[in-house]
Amino acid sequence: EVQLVESGGGLVKPGGSLRLSCAASGFTFINAWMSWVRQAPGKGLEWVGRIKSRTDGGTTDYAAPVKDRFSISRDDSKNTLYLQMNSLKTEDTAVYYCSTDPPGYWGQGTLVTVSS
Amino acid sequence: DVVMTQSPLSLPVTLGQPASISCTSSQSLVHSDGNTYLNWFQQRPGQSPRRLIYKVSNRDSGVPDRFSGSGSGTDFTLKISRVEAEDVGVYYCMQGTHWPRTFGQGTKVEIK
């Protein structure tokens, strides 16, 4: 059974940093492209970024609102995906989901609240 | 970015009756590889999104056959042949042809 379990969310002040993790199991993580998607409270879904598998270059792509502030990485030895978020803004407040790419599987999400 | 426009945004339906959601993209979703990467997701209250349909009309494993997807180019439709109580939630279309991926605004399905 495929499982994606996010962690690391919480309350952070504007300008602060946070790192989210996503532990994957039930599929061959090393071959998978992975993504982060977020959902602001009461709002729709927004793509954050993606990382390809290492064999496909391991490159990343980001949505414009987070480019240069967020960074996606992976540790294939730990089957774990990361989202490093810097220079956080109040508008980054959202539930952050990790998903496979294509997005057939999703985690349960972790809430990030950016507030003073 | 490709803009995905859904209609209606709110859809009250009677149990057992059909429902239909439209999704229109601002650009063709036909990829250079010939595929059309249009997905449909269901998000029940308090839950994570769940993919129902990929590449326009392919149902994911475990998705009831009352859900069907159709369309081409820039115009797509999700149909529920007979709405059941468990279908309440918000439905999103999403394009995976162009970067960045973009979602529709969501259509809230509720029971009358």
Side-chain angles (χ1 to χ4, degrees):
Chain A
E1 179 195 4
V2 172
Q3 281 202 315
L4 297 170
V5 180
E6 300 93 336
S7 60
L11 175 63
V12 61
K13 288 183 167 51
S17 297
L18 207 59
R19 189 178 82 156
L20 306 183
S21 300
C22 172
S25 60
F27 64 102
T28 308
F29 182 78
I30 195 170
N31 293 335
W33 294 20
M34 299 294 296
S35 287
W36 288 96
V37 179
R38 67 184 181 182
Q39 186 170 36
K43 301 297 184 183
L45 299 167
E46 180 186 24
W47 213 275
V48 171
R50 173 194 67 190
I51 186 167
K52 296 181 180 179
S53 64
R54 200 159 298 278
T55 55
D56 288 323
T59 56
T60 52
D61 296 285
Y62 300 95
V66 308
K67 196 175 180 183
D68 300 326
R69 298 188 299 122
F70 288 13
S71 176
I72 298 174
S73 62
R74 61 192 299 159
D75 185 336
D76 292 337
S77 69
K78 296 182 179 178
N79 284 0
T80 301
L81 177 73
Y82 300 102
L83 178 65
Q84 177 67 44
M85 303 184 294
N86 299 328
S87 303
L88 282 160
K89 305 175 181 181
T90 56
E91 53 263 41
D92 294 319
T93 294
V95 173
Y96 285 75
Y97 297 100
C98 73
S99 76
T100 54
D101 187 276
Y105 299 100
W106 296 64
Q108 85 289 349
T110 187
L111 176 62
V112 173
T113 303
V114 185
S115 174
S116 54
Chain B
D1 296 0
V2 176
V3 177
M4 306 295 289
T5 303
Q6 289 182 229
S7 64
L9 299 185
S10 178
L11 184 56
V13 294
T14 301
L15 288 173
Q17 293 301 301
S20 179
I21 301 170
S22 172
C23 176
T24 301
S25 59
S26 61
Q27 299 177 32
S28 172
L29 299 186
V30 180
H31 194 274
S32 56
D33 65 8
N35 290 304
T36 300
Y37 295 101
L38 187 283
N39 305 273
W40 288 97
F41 295 87
Q42 174 195 62
Q43 188 174 31
R44 291 171 171 152
Q47 295 188 13
S48 302
R50 168 199 183 195
R51 193 177 66 183
L52 301 175
I53 302 285
Y54 62 96
K55 286 196 281 187
V56 181
S57 59
N58 297 275
R59 266 191 308 276
D60 272 276
S61 176
V63 174
D65 61 7
R66 64 179 181 275
F67 290 94
S68 64
S70 63
S72 63
T74 60
D75 293 294
F76 305 92
T77 302
L78 175 71
K79 291 183 179 176
I80 310 174
S81 59
R82 294 173 306 280
V83 172
E84 298 189 5
E86 65 179 17
D87 300 335
V88 165
V90 181
Y91 292 77
Y92 297 92
C93 60
M94 188 216 83
Q95 65 83 18
T97 297
H98 305 281
W99 187 261
R101 314 274 194 246
T102 45
F103 292 89
Q105 317 97 301
T107 295
K108 187 173 184 178
V109 172
E110 56 187 11
I111 305 301
K112 279 183 186 175

